[in-house]
Amino acid sequence: MSLHPLVAAREVCEVRGWNVSNLEIQKILYLAHMTFLGRSEGKKRLVSEHFEAWDYGPVLPTVYHRAKAFGNGPVKNVFVAYPRPRGGAEAEMIQEAVESLEDKTPGELVAITHWHGGAWAKHYASGGRGIVIPNADILDEYHKRVRRP
């Protein structure tokens, strides 16, 4: 069962000790979602909301709007009403993604998610919002990234 996006965002913040920006949350969740989709061959989604193609990469609008007041600074606990996942594959995927990306700067995370062969690039239109990135394209990106020679 996929996570509500604010539950997933809270988990990223908890694992990072509440020292993570809105942009970083978005990119970590996108890469975790892509990996989760890929490992399940598209049968399981990490989050229940669709990512959209915005200027700075893939975005979960619900998370963005909840955390936008913090600008590029660390997000405080605006997700208090949303419980942490109690174990499970989704929580493990978020933990894995946070750990594997902890040394990446926000700029590096943007570069990763702006990959020219990726789903974001396929759907991005400058200044656009509300442009859904289909999970099928995110799954295709996973296959391109993982199975590259």
Side-chain angles (χ1 to χ4, degrees), residues 16-79:
R16 286 280 304 263
W18 295 93
N19 189 24
V20 59
S21 70
N22 193 353
L23 184 140
E24 291 170 303
I25 294 167
Q26 299 289 345
K27 304 318 156 225
I28 290 167
L29 285 177
Y30 177 77
L31 294 168
H33 180 75
M34 178 176 47
T35 303
F36 201 71
L37 270 175
R39 290 180 182 170
S40 72
E41 286 303 322
K43 294 180 180 100
K44 296 181 183 176
R45 298 169 43 175
L46 181 68
V47 293
S48 59
E49 182 175 61
H50 287 283
F51 282 87
E52 294 182 1
W54 290 18
D55 288 341
Y56 290 100
V59 169
L60 290 167
T62 302
V63 173
Y64 172 80
H65 291 297
R66 183 61 65 102
K68 68 184 175 185
F70 299 99
N72 63 359
V75 173
K76 302 301 178 205
N77 192 355
V78 292
F79 311 117

Side-chain angles (χ1 to χ4, degrees), residues 122-138:
K122 183 175 180 179
H123 295 279
Y124 174 67
S126 182
R129 292 208 177 161
I131 303 168
V132 170
I133 304 172
N135 282 318
D137 290 338
I138 297 171

